Amino acid sequence: MAATSYKIIGEEGVLSRSYRIPWTLLVLNRSRSIFQADSLAAFSDAGFTEIISIENSSSRQRSYSQIVRQIKGVRFIVTDTAICTGEQINIGIAASRCPFVAVIWNDMQFRTLFTDSFIHEVEHSGSLCTVPLLHSNLDDLIPSVLVPVMNKKTVKTIPMAAIKTGTSALFPFDYTGVYSKKLFQLVGGYDTEIKSSYWQKMDFGFRSWLWGEKILLNSSFRLYYTSDFQQDDTSIDHGYRRFYLKNLAVHVRDNLAYLPKLQLFSYILRSGEGLMLSLADFKEASAWVRANRTRYIRNGQTLISDWQKE
C-alpha cells in the first residue's frame, strides 16, 4: 500500500509560548459546522505545548496560514485524499514533538483540570493510552469503557459496570485518549488496511493487550461531545476477518506466536471470500504473525478469559 501524501503547514520550530501541558494535542475533524479558528483558539487556551489539526484536501478551504500566524504552536497536516481515522492518528503522532499526544475530535470539549498531579499520574501510569470518561451533548455518561466477551464464536464488547481510575479498557473509545508516543509506535499504531473504525480499534486494542501493553481509564479525564454521538458499525466485514487472523486465531506456545495451518481450512469455509482471496489473506496474516512472534505474551482466548475473571 502506497504511503499517504501530505503536507505540513506551520513553523516547525514554533511552540506555544504559554504552555503548561507538556503534550501535543491532536485534533481530528468531522464537524464542518464548527469554526476552525475559534475551536483551535479554545484548545490553545488550555495550554498544550503544540496543536496539530489533521485535514484533507477535500475539506472546505480554510486559511491555514492565517490561523498559524494567529495561534502559536498550531500546525496543520493536510492529506491529499481522505484517509481513515487510524491513519490520521498514525501520521499525527509521528509528527508530534512531545512524548505524549492527547487525541480529541473538534466536536468535543475538555472538562478536565490539567494539574501537575494529573499530568504526572498519566505520564507514569505505564499505559499505552489513558482513556477519558465521555459525556454526550446532554451531559449523559456514555458507556465507553468496553471489555471483550465471546458470543458463540464471535467476539463482541460490553461496557464495564464499575469504572474508576485504573480500570482496564479494551481500546480507546472513539479513538480519544492520551497516547504514549513511544509505546504507540512500538505496537505499530493502527492498522490502516482495516477501514472499519470498530474493527480497527478492536485490532489495536487486542494487539496492545496481547503484546503486554495497557489501556487504562483515568476518571479525572473527561470529554464532552458538543453534537450528537454516532455509534460504530459493528457489522462483520473484511476488517473483522483481518482482525480475527491477527488476534483471535493466533496461538502462543513456548513464548512464540504462530497461526496454525489447520486454521486455514475453517477460515476458507467461513470467510465467504472465495478460495484465492482467503488463501492470500491467510498467507499475509501468517507472515505478519511470524514476523512478530516474540511480541505476543498470550493468545486472544486467554485475554478474554482473564478479563471475565476481573
Side-chain angles (χ1 to χ4, degrees):
M1 182 178 179
T4 297
S5 176
Y6 61 89
K7 60 183 177 181
I8 300 178
I9 301 173
E11 298 179 53
E12 181 66 28
V14 175
L15 299 174
S16 172
R17 293 175 180 173
S18 59
Y19 77 84
R20 57 184 178 79
I21 306 170
W23 302 340
T24 296
L25 178 65
L26 180 61
V27 182
L28 307 174
N29 291 279
R30 61 183 165 202
S31 176
R32 298 303 167 191
S33 63
I34 297 173
F35 186 56
Q36 184 78 339
D38 289 348
S39 174
L40 292 176
F43 289 142
S44 179
D45 290 342
F48 287 88
T49 300
E50 68 170 349
I51 298 173
I52 297 174
S53 180
I54 303 285
E55 309 279 338
N56 69 72
S57 58
S58 63
S59 300
R60 186 175 60 199
Q61 185 64 37
R62 295 192 174 98
S63 303
Y64 300 122
S65 298
Q66 181 181 351
I67 293 175
V68 299
R69 285 195 301 268
Q70 292 174 342
I71 309 172
K72 294 297 182 183
V74 171
R75 289 186 291 159
F76 292 95
I77 294 178
V78 184
T79 62
D80 287 348
T81 58
I83 58 176
C84 66
T85 304
E87 187 169 7
Q88 293 180 45
I89 295 173
N90 291 351
I91 291 172
I93 289 181
S96 166
R97 292 169 286 182
C98 298
F100 290 86
V101 181
V103 174
I104 190 173
W105 291 92
N106 70 330
D107 61 356
M108 290 177 168
Q109 293 177 342
F110 287 108
R111 294 191 192 174
T112 302
L113 293 176
F114 290 93
T115 61
D116 290 343
S117 60
F118 170 74
I119 293 170
H120 182 274
E121 187 174 10
V122 170
E123 293 187 348
H124 292 81
S125 66
S127 178
L128 185 161
C129 184
T130 298
V131 298
L133 289 175
L134 294 175
H135 295 258
S136 73
N137 58 331
L138 300 176
D139 284 358
D140 297 324
L141 183 64
I142 296 173
S144 59
V145 180
L146 304 180
V147 299
V149 296
M150 289 303 298
N151 179 27
K152 297 180 180 180
K153 293 187 177 181
T154 303
V155 66
K156 70 173 187 176
T157 54
I158 59 173
M160 283 286 288
I163 48 176
K164 60 183 179 179
T165 294
T167 298
S168 298
L170 178 57
F171 56 74
F173 193 87
D174 209 5
Y175 295 94
T176 55
V178 180
Y179 293 77
S180 162
K181 179 175 181 177
K182 177 182 177 181
L183 297 180
F184 179 82
Q185 293 182 322
L186 280 175
V187 301
Y190 286 99
D191 185 344
T192 60
E193 294 293 326
I194 299 177
K195 303 308 178 185
S196 160
S197 291
Y198 179 73
W199 295 116
Q200 187 178 68
K201 289 180 291 187
M202 285 283 281
D203 172 74
F204 175 77
F206 261 85
R207 179 173 7 112
S208 299
W209 284 101
L210 294 180
W211 288 11
E213 302 300 343
K214 298 180 292 184
I215 298 170
L216 304 176
L217 170 76
N218 189 303
S219 60
S220 298
F221 185 20
R222 293 174 182 261
L223 295 175
Y224 286 71
Y225 288 92
T226 60
S227 57
D228 291 339
F229 165 70
Q230 300 296 319
Q231 292 283 353
D232 278 328
D233 180 1
T234 62
S235 302
I236 300 295
D237 60 7
H238 185 265
Y240 166 77
R241 290 183 277 274
R242 185 173 174 88
F243 154 76
Y244 169 81
L245 289 174
K246 292 171 58 186
N247 297 279
L248 298 183
V250 175
H251 288 214
V252 179
R253 184 173 61 194
D254 298 329
N255 298 318
L256 294 175
Y258 64 100
L259 197 54
K261 293 181 179 179
L262 289 177
Q263 294 274 13
L264 172 61
F265 302 105
S266 61
Y267 179 73
I268 291 172
L269 290 173
R270 295 176 181 174
S271 70
E273 294 189 324
L275 177 61
M276 298 308 295
L277 185 55
S278 297
L279 284 171
D281 287 347
F282 194 91
K283 182 179 179 180
E284 180 184 356
S286 183
W288 187 90
V289 171
R290 185 164 55 252
N292 294 285
R293 62 188 178 277
T294 61
R295 302 295 303 276
Y296 291 79
I297 65 169
R298 54 188 157 187
N299 60 41
Q301 300 296 332
T302 301
L303 175 64
I304 295 170
S305 298
D306 289 346
W307 227 305
Q308 293 173 345
K309 296 174 184 176
E310 293 185 3

